Amino acid sequence: MIIGLIGFGVVSQNLFRLIKSEDIQFITSFENRSSKTIENIKKTDILVLDSFKDVASKSDILISATSPNSALDVAKQYGKFTKGIYLDLNNISPDTTFEIRNHVDNLVDGAIIGKIDSDNPILYLSGDKSDELLFLDEFITTEKISNNIGDVAILKLLRSSYTKTLSAILIESSQIAKSHDLEDEFFDILTLTEGQEFREKSISRINNTLNNSKRKSEELEEIIQYFDDNDLTMTKAALKKLNQ
Amino acid sequence: MIIGLIGFGVVSQNLFRLIKSEDIQFITSFENRSSKTIENIKKTDILVLDSFKDVASKSDILISATSPNSALDVAKQYGKFTKGIYLDLNNISPDTTFEIRNHVDNLVDGAIIGKIDSDNPILYLSGDKSDELLFLDEFITTEKISNNIGDVAILKLLRSSYTKTLSAILIESSQIAKSHDLEDEFFDILTLTEGQEFREKSISRINNTLNNSKRKSEELEEIIQYFDDNDLTMTKAALKKLNQ
C-alpha cells in the first residue's frame, strides 16, 4: 500500500512516525517545498517523486495536511489525479470540506484530536470511504463518526466553540476573583469539583486565549457564521469578551 | 467543648456525624421545630435544651445552618446571646453576611464545598476568628480563606457564577451538536481533553440547570447584582440563556 503525503508539517511527520509497517510505503515530492521541509523529508525513508501529480496518481491513500488556506487549492490541483482515497486533515470549515468534495472522488474528512505528538491522539473520520481507513487503528486510534462528509469538520467547530467559550468564562471569573484578591482560592475551590488539573489547565487556557485573541476571535466569527441557525447567546458573548 | 446547632438539616446532620469526640457535646432545641426534625434529633444523643436562647448562651461554637431566608433573623434573635464563635453556614450572599456581622460578635463566615455526605467535603472559613475552628480539620478538612468576613460568601458566588455559566455553554453546544445529530460524538471528542467524567458530569449539569432554571436564574441575578463593578459579559449571557 502506498500513502502519499501533501504537506510535511507536524501532522504528516507524526503520522509517518506512527504508521510503521513493511506493507506501507510513504511517498511525497520536493515540488515547491521549503528547504527546511526538504531537509526534514531527507531524514526519512520516504520515497520522493518528481511532482505531486505523480504522488497523487500513485497513492492508495493521498493525505492532504498543509494549511487551512491552501486545502481547497491542493484538492483542486491534485484531487483529480488520485484513484485512491483522498484524506483531508486540514483544519478547515465544513463549507470548505463540502467544496473540496466537488473536486475529489473518495473524499474522507478527517481530524486528529488530542496532541498529535502525544501517545493517545485520535484520528476521527467521516465519509462513507472511512471504512477503508479503519485499518489505521493499528497505528493510531481511529474512529469513524459517520458516512456524512463534513461531520468531522462540524465536530471540530463544536469543540472549538465549547473550548473558546469556556476560556471566556474562565477569563471573566478569574478576573472577578482577582479583583477581590481571591484568585488562588477561586482555583482551589473549583479544583474540588472540576478535578486536580483544573488550575493548570485553566491558566493555560486563559493565557493561550489572551495571547491569541485576534485569531481566536476570527475562529469564533467563523463558528457563529456557520451555526447561525442555532441560538448562539454564549458563543456571541465569548466573541464580545475576546474583543474587549 | 459545646457545639450548638440552630437548624438540623443536611449540613448539621452531617457535621454531627463527622465530628465525633468525647470532648465535644452537641446541643440544640426543639423550639419551633417540625415533627420530622424532632424525630431526627431524637435518634441522636444531642442534648436538647428548652430554647435556642439557652443553646446560644451555652455554646462555645454556635452553628447557624438553617435556610438562606432565615439566616439574618436567626443571627438577630440569637447571635447576641452567645459568647462563643458564631459560625454561619447558610448559603447567603456577601451582603447578608456583612449584615449579620452587625448583630453577632465573633462571626465566622463558612461554607461546605463538595458533597457534605461524601468522604471529602471541605469546610471553608473566613474571618479572624476562623483560627479557633481549625481544630475541626481533625473531623472534616477545614481551610481558612482569610481574615475578611464575606470572603467565603464571595467565593461561593464566584463558584456559582462559573458553574452556572459553564452549564449555559454546555446547553448551547450540546443543542447545536444535537441539531447536527452529533451529540454523542460531541461528548466523545471533548472527553479526550476534558477528562473521563466529562459526559456524565455535563449531562448532569445540563439537566440540573434546565430542571431548576428559575432558581438558577434568580441566583445568577444576585451574582450579577453583587459583582456589577466587573465586566459580566458571560454571566449576563448565561442569564439570558437560562431565561429563554
Side-chain angles (χ1 to χ4, degrees), chain B residues 139-159:
Chain B
F139 310 105
I140 174 174
T141 307
T142 303
E143 289 190 11
K144 179 179 174 178
I145 295 295
S146 74
N147 281 327
N148 308 320
I149 288 291
D151 271 3
V152 165
I154 291 171
L155 270 176
K156 273 187 302 189
L157 279 198
L158 284 167
R159 179 174 180 278

Side-chain angles (χ1 to χ4, degrees), chain B residues 167-199:
Chain B
S167 295
I169 291 181
L170 286 167
I171 290 168
E172 183 163 307
S173 299
S174 64
Q175 280 174 349
I176 302 176
K178 201 172 180 175
S179 77
H180 288 83
D181 205 15
L182 290 169
E183 199 181 10
D184 268 355
E185 292 81 1
F186 167 75
F187 286 118
D188 282 345
I189 214 166
L190 276 164
T191 296
L192 288 181
T193 48
E194 307 305 303
Q196 277 307 316
E197 292 174 344
F198 179 75
R199 177 194 304 263

Side-chain angles (χ1 to χ4, degrees), chain B residues 111-127:
Chain B
I112 292 162
I113 307 287
K115 283 188 183 152
I116 175 75
D117 50 0
S118 76
D119 290 336
N120 51 0
I122 299 192
L123 173 62
Y124 284 100
L125 305 171
S126 67

Side-chain angles (χ1 to χ4, degrees), chain B residues 115 159-160 163-164 167-168 170-171 200-217 219 242:
Chain B
K115 283 188 183 152
R159 179 174 180 278
S160 165
T163 55
K164 285 183 181 62
S167 295
L170 286 167
I171 290 168
E200 197 188 340
K201 233 167 162 171
S202 298
I203 290 174
S204 145
R205 273 179 169 148
I206 290 169
N207 291 336
N208 181 23
T209 302
L210 292 177
N211 294 337
N212 302 286
S213 60
K214 191 165 172 290
R215 180 167 58 76
K216 303 275 178 184
S217 288
E219 288 169 7
L242 262 59

Side-chain angles (χ1 to χ4, degrees), chain A residues 193-194 201 205 231 241, chain B residues 193-194 201 205 231 241:
Chain A
T193 49
E194 307 305 303
K201 233 167 162 170
R205 275 181 167 145
D231 173 69
K241 185 93 199 170
Chain B
T193 48
E194 307 305 303
K201 233 167 162 171
R205 273 179 169 148
D231 172 70
K241 186 92 198 168

